[in-house]
Amino acid sequence: LDPTRVNPSSRATGLFQITAPVLKDYNRANATAYQLEALTDPVLATKVAVFHIHRIVALWKPVPALAADFSDRRFIELLVLGWNAGPSAVLKVAKRLTEVGVPPERITAASVNEAAGKMSPGSWIARPERLGFARLVATTYADTRSGRGRLVASLQGDSSDITGPAVLAALGVGAAVAAVNGAEG
């Protein structure tokens, strides 16, 4: 839960580990000129995270299997996989699964992860830890929405513990839901 965290290899920054291309798109869309260092501000990081989630939802809109439904665990897992391993990669695999006749409800983070492994072994989206993280975030998000908050209470652990990042990702999804609901209401 360190808003000043910077990934040493990717330079992803802040609570939501925003990357330079995402920030560049945010700046272009909002006529701003933020640098990655500015993403240590949790408020700005959340705004950029919500912007990015909206972009993913818009990108995926034409594909029924990827239709936004923030109450559907299947969608949340796909969204997190897309955030973490690339929204275009998820879109490509989901389209391919659709082309070969997989029904929308059977296109899940697990089926996308498995198909990606066959289509492009070694790709980020095919990594098992990407699927595991997506599942943990979806669980955290569902627990938080239901009021159970089971994982939120267990934020302490060693540096390899991904619970904290999962909670932050779940909060980002929650912020996007609030933003979507606010825009519709």
Side-chain angles (χ1 to χ4, degrees), residues 112-123 126:
V112 167
N113 177 264
E114 180 182 348
K118 292 175 182 170
M119 293 169 61
S120 182
S123 67

Side-chain angles (χ1 to χ4, degrees), residues 97-180:
L97 290 171
T98 300
E99 289 168 3
V100 298
V102 177
E105 66 277 2
R106 303 254 342 257
I107 298 176
T108 64
S111 66
V112 167
N113 177 264
E114 180 182 348
K118 292 175 182 170
M119 293 169 61
S120 182
S123 67
W124 280 98
I125 194 171
R127 291 180 155 189
E129 67 271 17
R130 301 295 173 182
L131 176 59
F133 184 71
R135 287 178 167 162
L136 181 58
V137 171
T139 297
T140 303
Y141 177 71
D143 285 352
T144 302
R145 284 191 67 184
S146 72
R148 288 189 305 269
R150 173 174 58 84
L151 293 175
V152 175
S154 64
L155 286 177
Q156 297 181 12
D158 63 39
S159 61
S160 66
D161 183 9
I162 61 171
T163 304
V167 170
L168 291 175
L171 292 173
V173 173
V177 171
V180 168

